[in-house]
Amino acid sequence: MLGQLLSLILLLLLGAFAGHQLLQSDPLGPCAGMFLVCISWCLFDQYKIKNVLKWLRDTELEPNREIVAKGVGGYIKIIDRVVRLQRALKRINADNVLRLNDFLSAIQVSPNGVLLLDSESRIEWCNQTAAYQLGIDMKKDVMQLIANLVRDPIFSNYLKHYETQKEIVIQSRDSRPEIPRMISLQLFPYGEGRRLLLSRDITQFEQAEVMRRDFVANVSHEIRTPLTVLAGFVETLLTLPVSDEERQRYLELMSTQATRMQTLVNDLLTLSKLEGSPVPSKTEWTPVMVLWRQCNQEALSLSQLLSLHPSQQIKFEWLLEDEKCEVAGSRNELFSAMTNLVSNAVRYTPEGGTINVSLTQLLTGDIEFTVNDSGPGIAPEHIPRLTERFYRIDRSRSRDSGGTGLGLAIVKHVAQRHDSLLSISSQLGKGSTFSIRIPSERLRKSTTEPAGLV
Ligand code: ADP
């Protein structure tokens, strides 16, 4: 700055001297010289400012300092400062873009849908989940009215009269009658008239809710029937004069109903324990021989209980391949699963039928507990649903034989908790086969004679 001032003073002095020399007779000569210097200085300054403005206007890229410096004189300092500012701004901008991209990527992977609406309810942006759930194509549908794309009347009404914190539930775009899918939507206002729309797939939640309602209805129904019978007999015994024989018969029927309720409650407790307790450890070892013998006794006593004529009793065939094998897991759970399969076979196989029970070793090192019967068999459409709670093919038959509809649900749970697989195969009229395959990781050979054998 000082240098510029000194240069100007020097040029003015030179101009005055030159004016005096050229116009010696005229006293205004020095003034004219200085005037010309001022005009030239201003013009040159204008030229430099023009170059600076040109650079500011044209340059997008970082300037070549050497070239720029030629036509701008002292203004190069301003240019240097601008360049520094420009670089700092670029850095900040790049940081912001990076953070924005991170933020958008995080919202993209969210399992919930996020959609931004402007004040006119036009789509400004949405993540992939929202696009999928609502059927939006982000290439074509940006700035489209959301009401034109999501045509559910519940949603259209909600868009007009929405209340904060209140959500609505509509069918998802890919919902089908056989596989209904539901999504919940909720609007939140932000900025100047803008709105954020959050979408959430609640199909599983809805299914769980339906299952819960069904379960409560089933349990109530199962308990109400024997309770009604019991109440009826109690009422009869209290109010009517009955003979000793009748009293005895009524008491026996009441006892059957009470046992039925007891079995149901026991099965429910078993299921709830299976669902609520930690997975059985792999440190508790049970000899398969112990399970095998308990199973054997259960099957024979149940078969004797159900058969009227000893001559027509069910024939059993037992095959235990490896007597020295031990299984890691809960002894009670494994026993309950195995006896459930055997008792089902006994209950559904008509008198004179055959039941084969085997525990065989597979080439993979796993073992398979199989119960095969010559009963009525199961139609293929029922097989995938047999392990659902209270699913029964023939309700009255199941009840008459003391079934609760929970047996196979218990078996499936126990199998899962022991990393094992329950498989069912059957042919109508030809019998059924139920197997539990226990993986080799849960097996070992015992070195001693199994304890607890009877
Ligand atoms: P339940 O107590 O009614 O036997 P389960 O869960 O054990 O309940 O079995 C569900 C249904 O599967 C039964 O109601 C029955 O219809 C069918 N089922 C189970 N085991 C057999 C079998 N061995 N033979 C034929 N049907 C069977």
Side-chain angles (χ1 to χ4, degrees), residues 293-313:
R293 294 224 169 154
Q294 282 179 334
C295 218
N296 186 302
Q297 281 166 7
E298 277 287 309
L300 293 178
S301 51
L302 185 64
S303 131
Q304 274 161 14
L305 201 74
L306 293 179
S307 295
L308 295 176
H309 307 290
S311 58
Q312 289 194 310
Q313 269 189 11

Side-chain angles (χ1 to χ4, degrees), residues 41 52 54 69 100 111 115 118 128 237 264 302 310 332 339 390 403:
W41 181 273
V52 172
K54 183 170 178 294
L100 182 67
L115 191 141
D118 72 2
Q128 290 159 1
L237 289 176
L264 177 71
L302 185 64
N332 287 341
T339 45
F390 297 111

Side-chain angles (χ1 to χ4, degrees), residues 258-312:
T259 312
R260 194 171 137 191
M261 280 201 292
Q262 225 169 11
T263 317
L264 177 71
V265 171
N266 284 343
D267 277 0
L268 284 171
L269 284 175
T270 307
L271 257 184
S272 107
K273 249 194 256 164
L274 288 175
E275 282 171 350
S277 59
V279 173
S281 81
K282 291 185 182 170
T283 50
E284 184 193 333
W285 293 93
T286 304
V288 289
M289 194 64 177
V290 174
L291 296 169
W292 184 256
R293 294 224 169 154
Q294 282 179 334
C295 218
N296 186 302
Q297 281 166 7
E298 277 287 309
L300 293 178
S301 51
L302 185 64
S303 131
Q304 274 161 14
L305 201 74
L306 293 179
S307 295
L308 295 176
H309 307 290
S311 58
Q312 289 194 310

Side-chain angles (χ1 to χ4, degrees), residues 199-262:
S199 64
R200 200 158 47 94
D201 188 332
I202 54 162
T203 310
Q204 280 188 347
F205 174 76
E206 289 276 304
Q207 279 169 351
E209 187 55 22
V210 170
M211 272 168 69
R212 192 192 62 79
R213 279 199 298 267
D214 285 355
F215 181 72
V216 172
N218 273 322
V219 172
S220 315
H221 177 76
E222 292 292 330
I223 288 181
R224 198 180 52 196
T225 315
L227 259 184
T228 312
V229 179
L230 269 178
F233 283 129
V234 170
E235 181 78 18
T236 310
L237 289 176
L238 283 176
T239 53
L240 295 177
V242 289
S243 66
D244 283 352
E245 268 171 41
E246 277 175 327
R247 178 186 301 274
Q248 183 59 30
R249 202 165 59 82
Y250 290 168
L251 285 174
E252 276 167 13
L253 288 169
M254 286 167 77
S255 163
T256 310
Q257 296 304 325
T259 312
R260 194 171 137 191
M261 280 201 292
Q262 225 169 11

